[in-house]
Amino acid sequence: MAHCDLCEAARLTPWHHEDDVCWIADCEVCDIPMVVWRDHGTEPPDAAVAHMMRELTRVADEVFAGTEWKIDRDMRQIPDHFHAHARDKDWYFRRQQSWSPRR
């Protein structure tokens, strides 16, 4: 298997949860909670998906307390390793505000 950033699970951003099934940390790109399946692949068993969505919901409810948010399971940048984001309505705006071009 080629190198996989999600399998590496480097602690580059704050972590919110970890267990034998998954870990949840702030996405390095989006700066929002992201759940990652510990096994490499795109189709975790239903029980693992239910567990990950439950844990991501718990974390997102804490992080976005009182703010509307939703789960996004579209794996855009790393399509070969299951992960999902909890996105609040302002995540993209915050990302654009913090982004600056390298000179």
Side-chain angles (χ1 to χ4, degrees), residues 2-103:
H3 174 77
C4 174
D5 288 339
L6 297 181
C7 286
E8 181 182 340
R11 292 179 181 259
L12 303 174
T13 62
W15 278 48
H16 304 281
H17 170 83
E18 66 179 309
D19 60 32
D20 292 342
V21 176
C22 64
W23 52 269
I24 300 173
D26 289 347
C27 174
E28 188 178 352
V29 174
C30 305
D31 195 30
I32 54 176
M34 172 181 72
V35 65
V36 177
W37 186 31
R38 285 210 180 264
D39 292 337
H40 186 84
T42 58
E43 297 184 24
D46 291 343
V49 172
H51 172 80
M52 289 186 278
M53 296 304 105
R54 216 173 20 254
E55 292 300 325
L56 183 56
T57 296
R58 181 185 58 77
V59 168
D61 282 344
E62 292 173 11
V63 170
F64 300 129
T67 303
E68 192 176 321
W69 63 271
K70 66 180 180 178
I71 292 177
D72 177 0
R73 289 178 51 175
D74 189 0
M75 301 180 295
R76 291 172 188 84
Q77 293 190 2
I78 304 176
D80 63 346
H81 191 134
F82 182 88
H83 64 288
H85 295 82
R87 297 191 188 280
D88 67 309
K89 64 182 178 72
D90 294 325
W91 77 272
Y92 191 77
F93 176 74
R94 280 194 319 279
R95 181 174 172 231
Q96 292 300 102
Q97 292 297 314
S98 66
W99 183 83
S100 62
R102 295 177 190 231
R103 298 188 193 270

